[in-house]
Amino acid sequence: MSKRTNAQNPEKFTGIELRAIPKSAVGFKAISSALKHVKDEVGIAKGIGLLKNLNQTYGFDCPGCAWPDPDEKRAFLAEYCENGAKAIAEEATKNKVSPLFFATYSVENLAKLSDYEIGKKGRITHPVYLPEGASHYKEISWKDAFELIGKELNDLNNPNEAIFYTSGRTSNEAAYLYQLFVRQFGTNNLPDCSNMCHEASGVALTETLGIGKGSVTLEDFNHTDLVVVIGQNPGTNHPRMLSALRDAKKKGSKIITINPLPEIGLMNYKDPQNPLKWIGSGQNLTDIFLQVKINGDVALLKIILKLMVAKEEEDTGAVFDYTFIKEKTKGVEELLDDLDTYSIAYLLPQTGLNLAEIQEAANLIISSKKIIFCWAMGLTQHKNSIDNIREIVNILLLKGSIGKKGAGTCPVRGHSNVQGDRTMGICEKMPDNFLDKIDAEFDFKSPRKHGYDVVNAIKAMYQKKAKVFFGMGGNFISATPDTEYTATALRNCKLTVHVSTKLNRSHLVHGKTALILPCLGRSEKDTQFSGEQFITVENSMGVVHSSKGHLNPCSEDLLSEPAIVASLANATLKNTKVPWNKLVRNYDFIRSKIEATIPGFKDYNNKVRDPKGFYLPNNARASKFDSTPTGKANFTINEVSDLKIKEHQFIMMTVRTHDQYNTTIYGLNDRYRGVLNERRVIFMNENDMEKKGIKKLDIVNLQSHFNGETREAKGFLAIPYSIPSQCTATYFPETNVLVPIQSTGKISNTPTSKTVIITIHKR
Ligand code: SF4
């Protein structure tokens, strides 16, 4: 068992300041905040060059979320948002973590810092190694690093004792080579960050519509009657989506927002690109806000379905698209029968809403023909996540609002290439037709036994069934649930390896021995034998496009992700016929292999050189559902939440601040919620606080309760906030320690980070 360093952020306060919640989002404040961040991290001159290339057709793709760029004209001044600018500034930071840094600071001391402080140390410049029992990382050559990994992997009793994790920043080219290497090594242990975010979307959409991806395009927002944004906070997590919502409104669309929190980004927006819009009251976005209780979504959606049915019974043809239902779907009768088994009186309390406000929303849905549903983690991190998403599809199918302009599904991905990685085969359970293709192309027999997803990988390491952890990007310990359990799992490993750009806590919670392999960033030039290369990514709407860095690498001792995989393969695999070195000489060779083995990539190398990139085929977008189990779009029967809490208990959901992107903490402010300079906070309903005798800024300890187990997180400041009774919100990773590893979504196995039963104890 390796040395026990802090796996959690220290229990220390940073000097909170509470402000009024702003009346609108974005505007001038977003620009000034972004430019200040760029100036502080990168410097003005280099910063301007950086931003000029961000999301431009000749430039590089934002390493933030996966919101698409416009197909046609990109904004000349700024085709990025505040958080996109911060994301790239963090990558291009002038702060560096060199071998001297590691010689100076021990792992133990570094782990005493907060995730924010660790991240601010900067870019790692050289590969480093932590021998067993050592206190400091030391420099190692790439050659020695790969040989060490190759030896550890080959010393395993079997390949399934190794875990190969992927974070959604990994490019298509690197992801494709990585899955090929891992399968040639002999395992399908390919957990990825999607297991913790949109896994439920993939499962539910594949079952109902035959494809695990959203069906709409960005253009559809200009042709819709109604956008429903449920369980998503785009103002912070997908900020450019706000301009698409603004455009939809301009075209006459309405917007319904469903969320336990009144996120200002969905209420009022000021266009940052138009100084005239910076003054005045901004543009209202949301027409109807339903402040639903946490995990009350299925009950709410069922009430809306019942109100649609009632209207249809009253006025046949007023609501249902019978032609679509008859031709394209299966199971409507069973759905209607099931809805009859529920009474609104039974469902309503679970929503925390009153019937009048739900009726108002249902009326908008009833009167709209073209509807887009957008969602994110607020729907996918619950036990009944799949039911949430399938219920949305039920509404859209009754309306025939799929597979036509201005209508459809829009799960918004949180990581720039998380969808692309899955398309490339990064998944622990890829279908046989995918595996057959790569076997034929590379003349080997890939393993067919399904591997571990994230939760099962953690359990396998905890139970010492897995002994080597390899992370392609990401910050595993801070992204995953049950922090102390996961830390023990990582410490149980013989070897932990991280391919990273910046220092993070996962480097400090390590196996007996550990390695950090520093890779190139998106904004940096990637020069291989044949010259400068570009990579490709796939955004939330299935557009594959290129990304090319223009900055000189922050260190001469970095390798690209594809080059790291090729060298790893050469150092590990004994009987491989894959020309690894040739493939990384020119990434066109990798793309030719992708074209040969993955549907939708015909003429890949030419198509991706089109500045707009290209759309992958999407049967749901084409209103074709023959790839579902029934050959039709499927109505489904879904379960309301069975969450039961006692009077003294609360439901906690973990959220991001506005100064955070996944586990990367840009700053300590959460400007859109009026909290500055503090992350150890819990948002509570004011009446609940009063009932519990908790005053504003009182210090409390939190305990979660699951299957008789108790987990604790100490030292949080109570903040009265607009949130339904018995519902609370905290930031991750600070409260990931409260999320039980055993508490996961049905089928998706996604940690239930949005439904954690807690008690709150005043200190
Ligand atoms: S919306 Fe997402 S992809 Fe676009 S600039 Fe912002 S963070 Fe980057």
Side-chain angles (χ1 to χ4, degrees):
M1 174 81 88
S2 302
K3 199 160 194 7
R4 197 179 157 75
T5 52
N6 284 10
Q8 296 184 52
N9 279 269
E11 190 203 317
K12 69 177 181 206
F13 298 122
T14 46
I16 193 166
E17 197 191 321
L18 293 179
R19 293 259 182 91
I21 293 172
K23 298 232 172 328
S24 64
V26 195
F28 177 71
K29 186 67 190 144
I31 298 172
S32 61
S33 174
L35 292 182
K36 179 177 180 320
H37 202 84
V38 170
K39 179 176 80 49
D40 294 349
E41 291 289 337
V42 185
I44 294 288
K46 188 176 166 191
I48 291 169
L50 198 63
L51 295 177
K52 197 166 67 48
N53 283 276
L54 183 53
N55 288 337
Q56 294 298 339
T57 53
Y58 50 77
F60 53 85
D61 181 62
C62 170
C65 80
W67 188 256
D69 309 312
D71 288 346
E72 301 306 330
K73 211 162 131 325
R74 306 281 163 98
F76 168 70
L77 201 56
E79 188 52 67
Y80 51 85
C81 73
E82 172 187 351
N83 282 356
K86 289 179 179 176
I88 206 62
E90 293 274 325
E91 183 193 280
T93 178
K94 52 185 180 293
N95 304 328
K96 297 201 177 145
V97 176
S98 64
L100 177 60
F101 173 93
F102 282 114
T104 311
Y105 301 101
S106 72
V107 173
E108 191 180 355
N109 283 339
L110 289 169
K112 290 182 182 139
L113 302 173
S114 68
D115 280 42
Y116 168 65
E117 292 162 326
I118 295 168
K120 289 297 170 192
K121 300 303 177 192
R123 291 285 303 274
I124 302 159
T125 60
H126 294 71
V128 288
Y129 170 50
L130 186 73
E132 184 163 0
S135 59
H136 292 67
Y137 275 98
K138 60 180 184 170
E139 185 173 358
I140 186 171
S141 72
W142 281 104
K143 182 172 173 301
D144 292 351
F146 290 125
E147 278 169 11
L148 191 154
I149 303 167
K151 180 177 178 318
E152 288 291 353
L153 288 173
N154 286 317
D155 285 353
L156 294 171
N157 300 322
N158 76 67
N160 289 318
E161 291 184 347
I163 308 276
F164 297 93
Y165 174 74
T166 308
S167 116
R169 206 193 64 109
T170 305
S171 67
N172 282 353
E173 291 74 12
Y176 185 77
L177 288 188
Y178 190 45
Q179 63 81 27
L180 179 62
F181 159 67
V182 172
R183 292 194 166 105
Q184 290 230 322
F185 177 67
T187 180
N188 283 311
N189 286 347
L190 284 156
D192 72 321
C193 60
S194 192
N195 297 152
M196 292 181 281
C197 69
H198 271 290
E199 196 67 46
S201 304
V203 173
L205 293 175
T206 303
E207 179 199 347
T208 53
L209 302 175
I211 183 171
K213 304 174 180 181
S215 70
V216 301
T217 66
L218 187 56
E219 182 55 24
D220 283 317
F221 283 80
N222 293 324
H223 304 277
T224 190
D225 302 329
L226 172 65
V227 182
V228 182
V229 183
I230 176 168
Q232 187 199 1
N233 176 19
T236 287
N237 304 331
H238 315 94
R240 279 187 303 160
M241 178 175 159
L242 300 189
S243 44
L245 294 177
R246 180 242 4 243
D247 295 346
K249 291 278 299 198
K250 272 195 190 151
K251 299 273 170 42
S253 168
K254 295 287 184 194
I255 297 177
I256 296 174
T257 293
I258 301 172
N259 199 310
L261 295 173
E263 305 287 18
I264 190 62
L266 280 162
M267 303 307 166
N268 190 287
Y269 166 80
K270 284 186 175 175
D271 181 359
Q273 310 257 357
N274 181 348
L276 294 176
K277 298 284 183 190
W278 297 350
I279 39 194
S281 60
Q283 165 154 13
N284 284 335
L285 293 177
T286 292
D287 295 284
I288 297 177
F289 170 49
L290 296 178
Q291 190 164 19
V292 69
K293 285 180 105 164
I294 295 176
N295 206 205
D297 308 284
V298 170
L300 168 60
L301 295 168
K302 266 191 200 314
I303 293 174
I304 289 173
L305 280 161
K306 287 180 71 66
L307 295 172
M308 290 165 71
V309 173
K311 178 66 184 171
E312 182 60 25
E313 284 164 355
E314 187 192 301
D315 178 0
T316 306
V319 184
F320 293 2
D321 182 335
Y322 286 105
T323 312
F324 181 89
I325 292 170
K326 199 155 158 287
E327 287 172 14
K328 304 270 184 179
T329 73
K330 195 165 181 354
V332 69
E333 292 311 329
E334 293 80 354
L335 170 69
L336 298 177
D337 293 347
D338 177 68
L339 284 173
D340 283 343
T341 64
Y342 292 92
S343 71
I344 290 184
Y346 164 76
L347 295 166
L348 202 53
Q350 296 178 38
T351 67
L353 300 162
N354 63 55
L355 190 53
E357 57 190 332
I358 300 175
Q359 181 70 66
E360 208 193 340
N363 293 346
L364 261 186
I365 291 172
I366 286 165
S367 60
S368 304
K369 290 231 171 312
K370 294 175 287 176
I371 305 168
I372 296 175
F373 265 86
C374 304
W375 70 86
M377 303 312 101
L379 283 195
T380 65
Q381 295 179 331
H382 300 278
K383 185 171 169 205
N384 66 338
S385 299
I386 288 175
D387 302 89
N388 283 335
I389 294 147
R390 295 190 318 190
E391 211 68 303
I392 286 175
V393 174
N394 281 339
I395 291 176
L396 292 171
L397 292 180
L398 284 177
K399 297 289 303 179
S401 187
I402 293 233
K404 64 184 181 190
K405 219 174 186 59
T409 57
C410 186
V412 186
R413 305 282 173 165
H415 220 317
S416 57
N417 199 36
V418 64
Q419 191 161 302
D421 293 340
R422 192 52 68 93
T423 305
M424 291 299 119
I426 298 291
C427 178
E428 78 284 358
K429 50 182 187 296
M430 283 304 281
D432 280 346
N433 57 5
F434 174 89
L435 299 173
D436 293 343
K437 278 267 174 89
I438 57 166
D439 289 1
E441 182 68 27
F442 297 101
D443 190 17
F444 80 109
K445 184 81 188 120
S446 57
R448 298 306 159 121
K449 179 172 173 288
H450 287 177
Y452 298 131
D453 62 12
V454 165
V455 165
N456 292 336
I458 296 170
K459 290 178 182 172
M461 291 186 280
Y462 188 89
Q463 296 150 7
K464 300 184 179 171
K465 289 186 198 148
K467 300 184 174 77
V468 171
F469 174 89
F470 190 101
M472 180 61 83
N475 179 1
F476 196 77
I477 187 68
S478 295
T480 45
D482 221 334
T483 312
E484 291 306 334
Y485 181 98
T486 303
T488 303
L490 288 165
R491 292 186 189 114
N492 284 348
C493 290
K494 277 183 78 206
L495 173 66
T496 50
V497 184
H498 294 276
V499 176
S500 304
T501 51
K502 295 184 64 186
L503 190 68
N504 68 50
R505 190 174 294 281
S506 295
H507 305 139
L508 311 173
V509 180
H510 52 80
K512 284 193 182 54
T513 59
L515 279 162
I516 309 174
L517 307 179
C519 65
L520 291 172
R522 280 270 175 88
S523 56
E524 292 171 326
K525 286 180 194 148
D526 178 353
T527 308
Q528 300 299 329
F529 183 81
S530 67
E532 280 186 32
Q533 305 296 314
F534 65 83
I535 51 113
T536 59
V537 291
E538 176 189 338
N539 63 36
S540 252
M541 286 154 185
V543 179
V544 176
H545 61 98
S546 66
S547 172
K548 189 171 184 185
H550 72 292
L551 288 179
N552 293 328
C554 71
S555 154
E556 287 169 358
D557 220 2
L558 306 181
L559 288 180
S560 74
E561 292 169 327
I564 288 173
V565 176
S567 300
L568 182 59
N570 286 329
T572 308
L573 302 174
K574 301 209 167 61
N575 317 317
T576 176
K577 298 185 191 115
V578 177
W580 296 98
N581 293 342
K582 176 187 169 210
L583 288 171
V584 292
R585 277 195 211 120
N586 183 331
Y587 296 172
D588 278 356
F589 295 142
I590 304 172
R591 289 185 281 270
S592 304
K593 293 296 183 188
I594 294 172
E595 178 178 344
T597 53
I598 302 180
F601 286 87
K602 194 163 177 346
D603 198 20
Y604 189 6
N605 278 313
N606 287 328
K607 283 199 295 193
V608 85
R609 281 177 167 78
D610 177 326
K612 293 200 294 287
F614 64 95
Y615 280 87
L616 286 172
N618 187 308
N619 64 287
R621 185 176 296 155
S623 197
K624 292 200 181 85
F625 307 104
D626 39 19
S627 54
T628 71
T630 64
K632 297 255 183 181
N634 295 310
F635 286 103
T636 51
I637 309 297
N638 299 299
E639 291 159 14
V640 292
S641 166
D642 60 1
L643 196 66
K644 298 275 176 299
I645 60 168
K646 302 191 180 88
E647 208 192 324
H648 69 291
Q649 294 181 322
F650 297 83
I651 308 172
M652 179 197 87
M653 63 178 181
T654 64
V655 297
R656 288 186 200 169
T657 70
H658 190 62
D659 258 0
Q660 173 182 359
Y661 170 71
N662 281 347
T663 57
T664 304
I665 316 290
Y666 302 142
L668 298 177
N669 298 337
D670 191 9
R671 188 173 81 241
Y672 286 173
R673 299 193 183 108
V675 175
L676 302 189
N677 202 37
E678 185 57 71
R679 294 183 52 83
R680 302 190 74 82
V681 301
I682 179 164
F683 296 103
M684 294 181 68
N685 173 288
E686 204 151 1
N687 298 335
D688 290 349
M689 287 176 71
E690 208 173 311
K691 265 191 246 150
K692 282 201 62 81
I694 296 174
K695 289 193 289 312
K696 186 159 90 173
L697 298 180
D698 272 355
I699 301 176
V700 296
N701 294 340
L702 312 178
Q703 289 184 344
S704 71
H705 308 278
F706 185 78
N707 288 357
E709 297 165 353
T710 299
R711 292 165 175 77
E712 185 160 41
K714 292 184 174 167
F716 290 82
L717 300 170
I719 312 252
Y721 204 79
S722 170
I723 192 167
S725 176
Q726 286 193 287
C727 296
T728 64
T730 58
Y731 304 144
F732 78 86
E734 282 79 359
T735 51
N736 281 353
V737 65
L738 297 172
V739 182
I741 189 81
Q742 310 294 2
S743 177
T744 60
K746 199 171 63 174
I747 306 174
S748 70
N749 208 26
T750 294
T752 58
S753 306
K754 293 283 188 283
T755 17
V756 184
I757 298 178
I758 64 166
T759 48
I760 301 171
H761 308 271
K762 196 172 160 188
R763 279 231 299 231

